[in-house]
Amino acid sequence: MASDHDTDRVRRTVLHTMASSGLALTLGAATRAWSAQLATLPFQGGERDITSLFPQKKDMLLLRTRPPLLETPFSVFDQGVFTPNDQFYVRWHLANIPTTIDGASFRLNVHGQVRTPLVLSLTDLLKKFAPVQLAAVNQCSGNSRGLFHARVPGAQWGNGAMGNALWTGVRLRDILDRAGVKRGAVQVRFNGLETGILPTTPDFMKSLDVDHARDGEVMIAYAMNGKPLPLLNGFPLRLIVPGWYSTYWVKMLDNIEVLDQPDDNFWMAKAYLIPDTPHANVTPGQTDVKMIPINRMVPRSFVTSLTDGQHVPAGKPLVVRGIAFGGDAGVRNVQIADGANAPWRETRLGQDHGKYSFIQWETRLTPKNGPLTLRVKATNTSGIAQPDTANWNPAGFMRNVVESITVTAS
Ligand SMILES: Nc1nc2c(c(=O)[nH]1)N[C@H]1C(S)=C(S)[C@@H](COP(=O)(O)O)O[C@H]1N2
Ligand SMILES: [Mo]
């Protein structure tokens, strides 16, 4: 983990740049010329423009302009274990996103069932609370939704609605303890600065149980990979809920309310629900299933050094590498099967950046002439392995089947 020196440097960087995000966001301009480049995700309707026209973002796969849905090109995941801020995926539900935020006048409000409501500036957060750093994967609940059979409605992501970053910020527990949570409080609700276009659109808010909010791991981040958060990833503050799907990782966080009853707002009670079945799995058309809020992530692994359909030299040793994450636990191992009926064998794991981080894996093999199907499977430290068959649910959440790619050696 990072030293105090690193944390100090990050805090200085954030203090230095926080006066303003300094950006004019140009969202929803209908007349833009997209770059001529196209990407094709491996499912029907998977053609995507590649755009670099969003502020603080380089090449991204465009799913929707306003509110933006931008997917990370998969090749980025081969470049390192941390996903660069300028190619980190972007997902917003509501279209009225502030285009500039003045860091000097920004305030975080903490109120509700507390003894002392707080109004905190960014300087307060940086100077009055102990800094913490954590590497953690941010993954959309619907990552890989486009790969569902039968197809399901919702953002048609490939595998790039995820990313790993080193987050710097403060413990949510320290903030809540400063405010003094009252006896009888049950949940803590998080709200960001953006709103819907129509006044009837429910404001995007998510809640955690008080014990989870106070677990010492949930944090409020002011930096991502050592820099202030890009505006589209939640400048100046976002919630980090390690091991949980990113729907809870509220961006542009300016409001924390401690509740004395379970949150029944739309985004908790109606949206982001999964079947209360093993692996949130149901058969298409199945009814009468109890639904619960989505929560912990499950393990996944991917090949990053090769793409499906690629040609490789036959009869020569080939290094194959990729990434994995354990979901709500660390990665115990990543196994590979090279060939349809080949046995699973261990790969070598790279540097450990903590249990919530991506970890790299690597192996060597010598392809024989012809097609070669590679499958990778991660098992986490709780003993949960990726399944060999895909789960299914109507919202297209929590895909984590063993992925495979086929290359041709000649
Ligand atoms: N304020 C706010 N926070 C939000 C959302 C949102 O719409 N508004 N979407 C959530 C969802 S569903 C996802 S997947 C992540 C995406 O985070 P990113 O855009 O930084 O990748 O933000 C989460 N936090
Ligand atoms: Mo999401």
Side-chain angles (χ1 to χ4, degrees):
M1 268 290 99
S3 67
D4 291 349
H5 175 77
D6 284 332
T7 315
D8 278 351
R9 204 179 37 189
V10 172
R11 280 196 288 178
R12 276 200 305 277
T13 309
V14 172
L15 277 167
H16 183 70
T17 47
M18 92 193 176
S20 163
S21 63
L23 281 164
L25 267 189
T26 47
L27 300 176
T31 54
R32 9 217 41 191
W34 304 110
S35 73
Q37 275 176 285
L38 276 178
T40 306
L41 297 170
F43 44 83
Q44 212 194 342
E47 298 77 24
R48 302 281 179 266
D49 283 318
I50 295 178
T51 176
S52 56
L53 293 172
F54 284 82
Q56 298 171 290
K57 293 289 165 184
K58 294 205 292 207
D59 284 358
M60 299 293 289
L61 274 54
L62 180 68
L63 273 72
R64 184 178 70 192
T65 304
R66 190 169 191 243
L69 294 176
L70 309 175
E71 174 164 349
T72 301
F74 205 76
S75 57
V76 169
F77 299 114
D78 194 47
Q79 290 159 22
V81 89
F82 291 104
T83 314
N85 292 1
D86 58 12
Q87 288 194 292
F88 209 99
Y89 85 100
V90 172
R91 196 267 188 266
W92 290 88
H93 291 87
L94 308 180
N96 270 336
I97 304 167
T99 53
T100 55
I101 293 168
D102 173 23
S105 57
F106 175 89
R107 295 291 180 273
L108 172 65
N109 283 275
V110 185
H111 62 111
Q113 302 297 311
V114 294
R115 282 188 291 280
T116 318
L118 307 176
V119 180
L120 300 168
S121 69
L122 291 178
T123 317
D124 292 336
L125 284 174
L126 284 149
K127 296 198 162 161
K128 296 186 184 162
F129 294 87
V132 284
Q133 272 193 333
L134 181 79
V137 172
N138 161 342
Q139 182 186 216
C140 181
S141 322
N143 188 25
S144 319
R145 182 183 286 119
L147 297 162
F148 267 64
H149 300 289
R151 298 294 291 269
V152 290
Q156 298 298 300
W157 300 110
N159 291 326
M162 62 175 188
N164 183 44
L166 182 63
W167 308 96
T168 310
V170 301
R171 284 185 196 91
L172 178 61
R173 181 177 64 202
D174 293 349
I175 306 261
L176 291 174
D177 288 358
R178 183 79 57 102
V181 172
K182 285 187 184 166
R183 203 182 285 271
V186 297
Q187 284 197 325
V188 184
R189 176 154 78 190
F190 308 91
N191 193 354
L193 284 171
E194 91 285 13
T195 58
I197 303 278
L198 302 172
T200 48
T201 307
D203 198 6
F204 183 79
M205 299 186 285
K206 297 296 291 187
S207 294
L208 298 175
D209 289 346
V210 167
D211 287 349
H212 187 187
R214 291 193 65 260
D215 73 357
E217 284 191 332
V218 176
M219 59 185 278
I220 297 174
Y222 46 70
M224 174 173 173
N225 295 324
K227 299 274 163 49
L229 307 169
L231 206 61
L232 290 173
N233 298 108
F235 181 89
L237 299 176
R238 88 175 300 170
L239 197 69
I240 304 301
V241 189
W244 282 46
Y245 283 99
S246 188
T247 180
Y248 295 96
W249 298 36
V250 173
K251 300 190 279 189
M252 290 187 183
L253 175 68
D254 72 326
N255 199 297
I256 299 178
E257 182 179 358
V258 180
L259 307 175
D260 61 5
Q261 41 198 328
D263 188 2
D264 65 354
N265 103 77
F266 174 84
W267 297 100
M268 287 300 292
K270 301 264 166 24
Y272 286 101
L273 300 182
I274 55 168
D276 188 14
T277 57
H279 200 173
N281 190 39
V282 292
T283 46
Q286 192 179 337
T287 51
D288 285 343
V289 188
K290 184 185 172 211
M291 302 295 280
I292 56 167
I294 196 167
N295 48 83
R296 296 161 186 280
M297 294 197 289
V298 285
R300 298 195 77 176
S301 60
F302 302 90
V303 173
T304 59
S305 62
L306 298 168
T307 55
D308 196 53
Q310 188 175 332
H311 276 84
V312 296
K316 285 194 191 134
L318 177 72
V319 175
V320 180
R321 105 187 134 246
I323 51 167
F325 59 101
D328 68 340
V331 172
R332 177 185 291 168
N333 64 21
V334 178
Q335 295 171 303
I336 189 163
D338 40 359
N341 297 310
W344 293 105
R345 60 178 177 81
E346 298 287 302
T347 67
R348 203 161 57 85
L349 296 182
Q351 194 188 333
D352 183 1
H353 294 276
K355 65 177 182 170
Y356 298 115
S357 174
F358 282 160
I359 190 164
Q360 275 181 315
W361 61 264
E362 189 182 287
T363 194
R364 263 162 212 277
L365 49 90
T366 305
K368 291 198 201 83
N369 245 319
L372 173 63
T373 296
L374 300 173
R375 292 178 296 146
V376 273
K377 174 168 24 193
T379 302
N380 71 18
T381 53
S382 314
I384 311 284
Q386 292 182 253
D388 294 318
T389 51
N391 67 323
W392 191 93
N393 52 63
F397 289 151
M398 297 177 71
R399 177 182 167 95
N400 80 324
V401 65
V402 167
E403 306 286 346
S404 77
I405 63 164
T406 301
V407 296
T408 307
S410 58

